[in-house]
PDB file of all heavy atoms in Angstrom:
ATOM      1  N   TRP A  15     145.407 207.370  34.210  1.00 98.00           N
ATOM      2  CA  TRP A  15     146.429 206.598  34.892  1.00 98.00           C
ATOM      3  C   TRP A  15     147.868 206.952  34.512  1.00 98.00           C
ATOM      4  O   TRP A  15     148.788 206.625  35.254  1.00 98.00           O
ATOM      5  CB  TRP A  15     146.232 205.113  34.619  1.00 98.00           C
ATOM      6  CG  TRP A  15     144.968 204.546  35.181  1.00 98.00           C
ATOM      7  CD1 TRP A  15     143.845 204.157  34.505  1.00 98.00           C
ATOM      8  CD2 TRP A  15     144.668 204.350  36.580  1.00 98.00           C
ATOM      9  NE1 TRP A  15     142.886 203.698  35.365  1.00 98.00           N
ATOM     10  CE2 TRP A  15     143.360 203.808  36.627  1.00 98.00           C
ATOM     11  CE3 TRP A  15     145.379 204.555  37.758  1.00 98.00           C
ATOM     12  CZ2 TRP A  15     142.775 203.468  37.857  1.00 98.00           C
ATOM     13  CZ3 TRP A  15     144.779 204.240  38.948  1.00 98.00           C
ATOM     14  CH2 TRP A  15     143.495 203.708  38.991  1.00 98.00           C
ATOM     15  N   GLN A  16     148.068 207.600  33.347  1.00 97.00           N
ATOM     16  CA  GLN A  16     149.421 207.788  32.880  1.00 97.00           C
ATOM     17  C   GLN A  16     150.285 208.623  33.838  1.00 97.00           C
ATOM     18  O   GLN A  16     151.474 208.363  34.006  1.00 97.00           O
ATOM     19  CB  GLN A  16     149.434 208.418  31.496  1.00 97.00           C
ATOM     20  CG  GLN A  16     150.812 208.355  30.801  1.00 97.00           C
ATOM     21  CD  GLN A  16     151.264 206.940  30.572  1.00 97.00           C
ATOM     22  OE1 GLN A  16     150.574 206.169  29.891  1.00 97.00           O
ATOM     23  NE2 GLN A  16     152.426 206.565  31.095  1.00 97.00           N
ATOM     24  N   GLY A  17     149.692 209.648  34.456  1.00 97.00           N
ATOM     25  CA  GLY A  17     150.435 210.461  35.396  1.00 97.00           C
ATOM     26  C   GLY A  17     150.962 209.664  36.581  1.00 97.00           C
ATOM     27  O   GLY A  17     152.104 209.874  37.008  1.00 97.00           O
ATOM     28  N   LEU A  18     150.142 208.770  37.086  1.00 97.00           N
ATOM     29  CA  LEU A  18     150.588 207.905  38.183  1.00 97.00           C
ATOM     30  C   LEU A  18     151.740 207.004  37.751  1.00 97.00           C
ATOM     31  O   LEU A  18     152.744 206.892  38.464  1.00 97.00           O
ATOM     32  CB  LEU A  18     149.398 207.048  38.666  1.00 97.00           C
ATOM     33  CG  LEU A  18     149.755 205.952  39.711  1.00 97.00           C
ATOM     34  CD1 LEU A  18     150.257 206.558  41.001  1.00 97.00           C
ATOM     35  CD2 LEU A  18     148.512 205.070  39.955  1.00 97.00           C
ATOM     36  N   MET A  19     151.615 206.390  36.583  1.00 97.00           N
ATOM     37  CA  MET A  19     152.653 205.517  36.110  1.00 97.00           C
ATOM     38  C   MET A  19     153.947 206.269  35.797  1.00 97.00           C
ATOM     39  O   MET A  19     155.055 205.749  36.022  1.00 97.00           O
ATOM     40  CB  MET A  19     152.180 204.748  34.874  1.00 97.00           C
ATOM     41  CG  MET A  19     150.993 203.802  35.145  1.00 97.00           C
ATOM     42  SD  MET A  19     151.269 202.684  36.555  1.00 97.00           S
ATOM     43  CE  MET A  19     152.674 201.725  35.974  1.00 97.00           C
ATOM     44  N   ASP A  20     153.818 207.512  35.304  1.00 97.00           N
ATOM     45  CA  ASP A  20     155.002 208.332  35.046  1.00 97.00           C
ATOM     46  C   ASP A  20     155.745 208.637  36.377  1.00 97.00           C
ATOM     47  O   ASP A  20     156.970 208.607  36.431  1.00 97.00           O
ATOM     48  CB  ASP A  20     154.618 209.655  34.370  1.00 97.00           C
ATOM     49  CG  ASP A  20     154.160 209.472  32.930  1.00 97.00           C
ATOM     50  OD1 ASP A  20     154.462 208.360  32.360  1.00 97.00           O
ATOM     51  OD2 ASP A  20     153.543 210.370  32.366  1.00 97.00           O
ATOM     52  N   TRP A  21     154.965 208.922  37.431  1.00 98.00           N
ATOM     53  CA  TRP A  21     155.573 209.168  38.744  1.00 98.00           C
ATOM     54  C   TRP A  21     156.252 207.923  39.290  1.00 98.00           C
ATOM     55  O   TRP A  21     157.345 207.992  39.819  1.00 98.00           O
ATOM     56  CB  TRP A  21     154.500 209.670  39.712  1.00 98.00           C
ATOM     57  CG  TRP A  21     155.043 209.867  41.106  1.00 98.00           C
ATOM     58  CD1 TRP A  21     155.713 210.947  41.572  1.00 98.00           C
ATOM     59  CD2 TRP A  21     154.998 208.929  42.180  1.00 98.00           C
ATOM     60  NE1 TRP A  21     156.059 210.756  42.902  1.00 98.00           N
ATOM     61  CE2 TRP A  21     155.636 209.530  43.274  1.00 98.00           C
ATOM     62  CE3 TRP A  21     154.465 207.654  42.317  1.00 98.00           C
ATOM     63  CZ2 TRP A  21     155.768 208.871  44.516  1.00 98.00           C
ATOM     64  CZ3 TRP A  21     154.591 207.008  43.535  1.00 98.00           C
ATOM     65  CH2 TRP A  21     155.249 207.618  44.628  1.00 98.00           C
ATOM     66  N   ILE A  22     155.586 206.789  39.127  1.00 98.00           N
ATOM     67  CA  ILE A  22     156.190 205.527  39.577  1.00 98.00           C
ATOM     68  C   ILE A  22     157.540 205.301  38.887  1.00 98.00           C
ATOM     69  O   ILE A  22     158.517 204.904  39.508  1.00 98.00           O
ATOM     70  CB  ILE A  22     155.236 204.347  39.345  1.00 98.00           C
ATOM     71  CG1 ILE A  22     154.047 204.435  40.293  1.00 98.00           C
ATOM     72  CG2 ILE A  22     155.953 203.008  39.475  1.00 98.00           C
ATOM     73  CD1 ILE A  22     152.965 203.418  40.036  1.00 98.00           C
ATOM     74  N   GLU A  23     157.575 205.559  37.567  1.00 98.00           N
ATOM     75  CA  GLU A  23     158.809 205.349  36.820  1.00 98.00           C
ATOM     76  C   GLU A  23     159.902 206.370  37.168  1.00 98.00           C
ATOM     77  O   GLU A  23     161.062 206.027  37.374  1.00 98.00           O
ATOM     78  CB  GLU A  23     158.531 205.364  35.306  1.00 98.00           C
ATOM     79  CG  GLU A  23     159.747 205.084  34.475  1.00 98.00           C
ATOM     80  CD  GLU A  23     159.464 204.948  32.998  1.00 98.00           C
ATOM     81  OE1 GLU A  23     158.272 205.132  32.611  1.00 98.00           O
ATOM     82  OE2 GLU A  23     160.385 204.658  32.226  1.00 98.00           O
ATOM     83  N   SER A  24     159.507 207.645  37.209  1.00 98.00           N
ATOM     84  CA  SER A  24     160.512 208.693  37.393  1.00 98.00           C
ATOM     85  C   SER A  24     161.004 208.826  38.835  1.00 98.00           C
ATOM     86  O   SER A  24     162.185 209.102  39.079  1.00 98.00           O
ATOM     87  CB  SER A  24     159.947 210.049  36.924  1.00 98.00           C
ATOM     88  OG  SER A  24     158.853 210.429  37.702  1.00 98.00           O
ATOM     89  N   VAL A  25     160.101 208.611  39.809  1.00 98.00           N
ATOM     90  CA  VAL A  25     160.474 208.791  41.218  1.00 98.00           C
ATOM     91  C   VAL A  25     160.763 207.467  41.895  1.00 98.00           C
ATOM     92  O   VAL A  25     161.864 207.241  42.427  1.00 98.00           O
ATOM     93  CB  VAL A  25     159.368 209.579  41.976  1.00 98.00           C
ATOM     94  CG1 VAL A  25     159.746 209.722  43.441  1.00 98.00           C
ATOM     95  CG2 VAL A  25     159.151 210.935  41.342  1.00 98.00           C
ATOM     96  N   MET A  26     159.819 206.570  41.901  1.00 98.00           N
ATOM     97  CA  MET A  26     160.005 205.297  42.612  1.00 98.00           C
ATOM     98  C   MET A  26     161.148 204.485  42.021  1.00 98.00           C
ATOM     99  O   MET A  26     161.954 203.898  42.757  1.00 98.00           O
ATOM    100  CB  MET A  26     158.716 204.477  42.599  1.00 98.00           C
ATOM    101  CG  MET A  26     157.595 205.053  43.439  1.00 98.00           C
ATOM    102  SD  MET A  26     156.092 204.019  43.371  1.00 98.00           S
ATOM    103  CE  MET A  26     156.627 202.626  44.324  1.00 98.00           C
ATOM    104  N   LEU A  27     161.205 204.432  40.681  1.00 98.00           N
ATOM    105  CA  LEU A  27     162.219 203.605  40.018  1.00 98.00           C
ATOM    106  C   LEU A  27     163.539 204.382  39.817  1.00 98.00           C
ATOM    107  O   LEU A  27     164.563 204.036  40.365  1.00 98.00           O
ATOM    108  CB  LEU A  27     161.688 203.117  38.676  1.00 98.00           C
ATOM    109  CG  LEU A  27     162.692 202.383  37.765  1.00 98.00           C
ATOM    110  CD1 LEU A  27     163.233 201.138  38.476  1.00 98.00           C
ATOM    111  CD2 LEU A  27     162.075 202.063  36.432  1.00 98.00           C
ATOM    112  N   THR A  28     163.485 205.456  39.015  1.00 98.00           N
ATOM    113  CA  THR A  28     164.692 206.155  38.598  1.00 98.00           C
ATOM    114  C   THR A  28     165.350 206.925  39.746  1.00 98.00           C
ATOM    115  O   THR A  28     166.552 206.832  39.970  1.00 98.00           O
ATOM    116  CB  THR A  28     164.390 207.091  37.421  1.00 98.00           C
ATOM    117  OG1 THR A  28     163.767 206.364  36.381  1.00 98.00           O
ATOM    118  CG2 THR A  28     165.677 207.739  36.915  1.00 98.00           C
ATOM    119  N   GLN A  29     164.553 207.689  40.465  1.00 98.00           N
ATOM    120  CA  GLN A  29     165.114 208.575  41.501  1.00 98.00           C
ATOM    121  C   GLN A  29     165.448 207.819  42.787  1.00 98.00           C
ATOM    122  O   GLN A  29     166.533 208.025  43.354  1.00 98.00           O
ATOM    123  CB  GLN A  29     164.115 209.697  41.802  1.00 98.00           C
ATOM    124  CG  GLN A  29     164.614 210.726  42.808  1.00 98.00           C
ATOM    125  CD  GLN A  29     163.609 211.856  43.003  1.00 98.00           C
ATOM    126  OE1 GLN A  29     163.123 212.397  42.029  1.00 98.00           O
ATOM    127  NE2 GLN A  29     163.324 212.196  44.239  1.00 98.00           N
ATOM    128  N   GLU A  30     164.568 206.961  43.245  1.00 98.00           N
ATOM    129  CA  GLU A  30     164.767 206.322  44.550  1.00 98.00           C
ATOM    130  C   GLU A  30     165.119 204.831  44.482  1.00 98.00           C
ATOM    131  O   GLU A  30     165.469 204.258  45.508  1.00 98.00           O
ATOM    132  CB  GLU A  30     163.480 206.521  45.414  1.00 98.00           C
ATOM    133  CG  GLU A  30     163.116 207.956  45.652  1.00 98.00           C
ATOM    134  CD  GLU A  30     164.121 208.702  46.492  1.00 98.00           C
ATOM    135  OE1 GLU A  30     164.905 208.028  47.228  1.00 98.00           O
ATOM    136  OE2 GLU A  30     164.154 209.945  46.417  1.00 98.00           O
ATOM    137  N   SER A  31     165.021 204.219  43.325  1.00 97.00           N
ATOM    138  CA  SER A  31     165.306 202.769  43.169  1.00 97.00           C
ATOM    139  C   SER A  31     164.516 201.898  44.162  1.00 97.00           C
ATOM    140  O   SER A  31     165.055 200.920  44.716  1.00 97.00           O
ATOM    141  CB  SER A  31     166.820 202.528  43.357  1.00 97.00           C
ATOM    142  OG  SER A  31     167.562 203.238  42.400  1.00 97.00           O
ATOM    143  N   ASN A  32     163.264 202.248  44.361  1.00 97.00           N
ATOM    144  CA  ASN A  32     162.416 201.461  45.284  1.00 97.00           C
ATOM    145  C   ASN A  32     161.700 200.318  44.626  1.00 97.00           C
ATOM    146  O   ASN A  32     161.058 199.498  45.311  1.00 97.00           O
ATOM    147  CB  ASN A  32     161.399 202.390  45.957  1.00 97.00           C
ATOM    148  CG  ASN A  32     162.029 203.300  47.004  1.00 97.00           C
ATOM    149  OD1 ASN A  32     163.016 202.920  47.627  1.00 97.00           O
ATOM    150  ND2 ASN A  32     161.495 204.486  47.184  1.00 97.00           N
ATOM    151  N   ILE A  33     161.752 200.235  43.297  1.00 97.00           N
ATOM    152  CA  ILE A  33     161.211 199.086  42.573  1.00 97.00           C
ATOM    153  C   ILE A  33     162.223 198.707  41.488  1.00 97.00           C
ATOM    154  O   ILE A  33     163.210 199.447  41.247  1.00 97.00           O
ATOM    155  CB  ILE A  33     159.849 199.383  41.931  1.00 97.00           C
ATOM    156  CG1 ILE A  33     159.956 200.554  40.945  1.00 97.00           C
ATOM    157  CG2 ILE A  33     158.798 199.640  43.020  1.00 97.00           C
ATOM    158  CD1 ILE A  33     158.672 200.779  40.134  1.00 97.00           C
ATOM    159  N   ASN A  34     162.004 197.587  40.836  1.00 96.00           N
ATOM    160  CA  ASN A  34     162.857 197.154  39.723  1.00 96.00           C
ATOM    161  C   ASN A  34     162.217 197.523  38.397  1.00 96.00           C
ATOM    162  O   ASN A  34     160.977 197.640  38.296  1.00 96.00           O
ATOM    163  CB  ASN A  34     163.082 195.646  39.806  1.00 96.00           C
ATOM    164  CG  ASN A  34     163.839 195.235  41.022  1.00 96.00           C
ATOM    165  OD1 ASN A  34     164.779 195.927  41.454  1.00 96.00           O
ATOM    166  ND2 ASN A  34     163.442 194.122  41.613  1.00 96.00           N
ATOM    167  N   PRO A  35     163.030 197.677  37.342  1.00 97.00           N
ATOM    168  CA  PRO A  35     162.470 197.971  36.015  1.00 97.00           C
ATOM    169  C   PRO A  35     161.416 196.943  35.571  1.00 97.00           C
ATOM    170  O   PRO A  35     160.431 197.291  34.933  1.00 97.00           O
ATOM    171  CB  PRO A  35     163.699 197.935  35.088  1.00 97.00           C
ATOM    172  CG  PRO A  35     164.836 198.302  35.998  1.00 97.00           C
ATOM    173  CD  PRO A  35     164.504 197.694  37.331  1.00 97.00           C
ATOM    174  N   GLU A  36     161.621 195.686  35.939  1.00 96.00           N
ATOM    175  CA  GLU A  36     160.670 194.642  35.551  1.00 96.00           C
ATOM    176  C   GLU A  36     159.286 194.852  36.169  1.00 96.00           C
ATOM    177  O   GLU A  36     158.287 194.412  35.621  1.00 96.00           O
ATOM    178  CB  GLU A  36     161.190 193.254  35.968  1.00 96.00           C
ATOM    179  CG  GLU A  36     162.357 192.762  35.146  1.00 96.00           C
ATOM    180  CD  GLU A  36     161.933 192.503  33.703  1.00 96.00           C
ATOM    181  OE1 GLU A  36     160.902 191.849  33.492  1.00 96.00           O
ATOM    182  OE2 GLU A  36     162.649 192.989  32.786  1.00 96.00           O
ATOM    183  N   ASP A  37     159.230 195.559  37.283  1.00 96.00           N
ATOM    184  CA  ASP A  37     157.957 195.768  37.958  1.00 96.00           C
ATOM    185  C   ASP A  37     156.993 196.626  37.129  1.00 96.00           C
ATOM    186  O   ASP A  37     155.773 196.494  37.231  1.00 96.00           O
ATOM    187  CB  ASP A  37     158.156 196.443  39.311  1.00 96.00           C
ATOM    188  CG  ASP A  37     158.920 195.554  40.279  1.00 96.00           C
ATOM    189  OD1 ASP A  37     158.812 194.306  40.158  1.00 96.00           O
ATOM    190  OD2 ASP A  37     159.581 196.079  41.198  1.00 96.00           O
ATOM    191  N   LEU A  38     157.559 197.467  36.270  1.00 96.00           N
ATOM    192  CA  LEU A  38     156.710 198.314  35.416  1.00 96.00           C
ATOM    193  C   LEU A  38     155.931 197.463  34.402  1.00 96.00           C
ATOM    194  O   LEU A  38     154.878 197.894  33.912  1.00 96.00           O
ATOM    195  CB  LEU A  38     157.565 199.350  34.690  1.00 96.00           C
ATOM    196  CG  LEU A  38     158.267 200.413  35.539  1.00 96.00           C
ATOM    197  CD1 LEU A  38     159.139 201.294  34.660  1.00 96.00           C
ATOM    198  CD2 LEU A  38     157.246 201.241  36.323  1.00 96.00           C
ATOM    199  N   LYS A  39     156.445 196.287  34.108  1.00 95.00           N
ATOM    200  CA  LYS A  39     155.779 195.431  33.145  1.00 95.00           C
ATOM    201  C   LYS A  39     154.594 194.654  33.730  1.00 95.00           C
ATOM    202  O   LYS A  39     153.920 193.943  33.010  1.00 95.00           O
ATOM    203  CB  LYS A  39     156.800 194.431  32.563  1.00 95.00           C
ATOM    204  CG  LYS A  39     157.949 195.099  31.829  1.00 95.00           C
ATOM    205  CD  LYS A  39     158.948 194.058  31.334  1.00 95.00           C
ATOM    206  CE  LYS A  39     160.129 194.731  30.636  1.00 95.00           C
ATOM    207  NZ  LYS A  39     161.147 193.747  30.181  1.00 95.00           N
ATOM    208  N   LEU A  40     154.358 194.826  35.019  1.00 96.00           N
ATOM    209  CA  LEU A  40     153.235 194.140  35.675  1.00 96.00           C
ATOM    210  C   LEU A  40     151.899 194.775  35.301  1.00 96.00           C
ATOM    211  O   LEU A  40     150.857 194.190  35.554  1.00 96.00           O
ATOM    212  CB  LEU A  40     153.421 194.130  37.185  1.00 96.00           C
ATOM    213  CG  LEU A  40     154.657 193.413  37.730  1.00 96.00           C
ATOM    214  CD1 LEU A  40     154.718 193.553  39.249  1.00 96.00           C
ATOM    215  CD2 LEU A  40     154.638 191.945  37.311  1.00 96.00           C
ATOM    216  N   VAL A  41     151.945 195.972  34.742  1.00 97.00           N
ATOM    217  CA  VAL A  41     150.722 196.755  34.480  1.00 97.00           C
ATOM    218  C   VAL A  41     150.636 197.099  33.003  1.00 97.00           C
ATOM    219  O   VAL A  41     151.629 197.499  32.391  1.00 97.00           O
ATOM    220  CB  VAL A  41     150.699 198.041  35.335  1.00 97.00           C
ATOM    221  CG1 VAL A  41     149.500 198.880  35.001  1.00 97.00           C
ATOM    222  CG2 VAL A  41     150.706 197.689  36.816  1.00 97.00           C
ATOM    223  N   ASN A  42     149.440 196.988  32.461  1.00 97.00           N
ATOM    224  CA  ASN A  42     149.141 197.407  31.082  1.00 97.00           C
ATOM    225  C   ASN A  42     148.171 198.589  31.133  1.00 97.00           C
ATOM    226  O   ASN A  42     147.209 198.551  31.919  1.00 97.00           O
ATOM    227  CB  ASN A  42     148.495 196.281  30.291  1.00 97.00           C
ATOM    228  CG  ASN A  42     149.363 195.035  30.249  1.00 97.00           C
ATOM    229  OD1 ASN A  42     150.180 194.858  29.365  1.00 97.00           O
ATOM    230  ND2 ASN A  42     149.174 194.149  31.214  1.00 97.00           N
ATOM    231  N   ILE A  43     148.385 199.610  30.310  1.00 98.00           N
ATOM    232  CA  ILE A  43     147.432 200.723  30.205  1.00 98.00           C
ATOM    233  C   ILE A  43     146.802 200.708  28.834  1.00 98.00           C
ATOM    234  O   ILE A  43     147.478 200.664  27.828  1.00 98.00           O
ATOM    235  CB  ILE A  43     148.151 202.076  30.434  1.00 98.00           C
ATOM    236  CG1 ILE A  43     148.916 202.084  31.777  1.00 98.00           C
ATOM    237  CG2 ILE A  43     147.097 203.213  30.439  1.00 98.00           C
ATOM    238  CD1 ILE A  43     149.597 203.410  32.051  1.00 98.00           C
ATOM    239  N   VAL A  44     145.463 200.748  28.830  1.00 98.00           N
ATOM    240  CA  VAL A  44     144.706 200.720  27.558  1.00 98.00           C
ATOM    241  C   VAL A  44     143.642 201.793  27.584  1.00 98.00           C
ATOM    242  O   VAL A  44     143.375 202.415  28.621  1.00 98.00           O
ATOM    243  CB  VAL A  44     144.071 199.331  27.327  1.00 98.00           C
ATOM    244  CG1 VAL A  44     145.116 198.212  27.349  1.00 98.00           C
ATOM    245  CG2 VAL A  44     142.974 199.046  28.361  1.00 98.00           C
ATOM    246  N   ASP A  45     143.019 201.984  26.409  1.00 98.00           N
ATOM    247  CA  ASP A  45     141.984 202.998  26.309  1.00 98.00           C
ATOM    248  C   ASP A  45     140.637 202.501  25.865  1.00 98.00           C
ATOM    249  O   ASP A  45     139.656 203.226  25.880  1.00 98.00           O
ATOM    250  CB  ASP A  45     142.435 204.078  25.291  1.00 98.00           C
ATOM    251  CG  ASP A  45     143.022 205.309  25.984  1.00 98.00           C
ATOM    252  OD1 ASP A  45     142.659 205.579  27.146  1.00 98.00           O
ATOM    253  OD2 ASP A  45     143.877 205.965  25.366  1.00 98.00           O
TER     254      ASP A  45
END
């Protein structure tokens, strides 16, 4: 899952501002 979340952060959030920083906190990644 980390690759997907990295893309969401780098492209959806940082590059395009299509989500808010708080939205990243809606998901937890565990092993």
Side-chain angles (χ1 to χ4, degrees):
W15 294 110
Q16 193 61 58
L18 173 64
M19 296 308 298
D20 289 344
W21 177 83
I22 289 173
E23 182 173 3
S24 63
V25 178
M26 291 180 71
L27 173 61
T28 306
Q29 183 176 314
E30 300 295 338
S31 300
N32 286 330
I33 61 172
N34 295 321
E36 287 295 311
D37 295 332
L38 295 176
K39 299 177 182 179
L40 298 178
V41 175
N42 302 270
I43 305 181
V44 304
D45 262 333

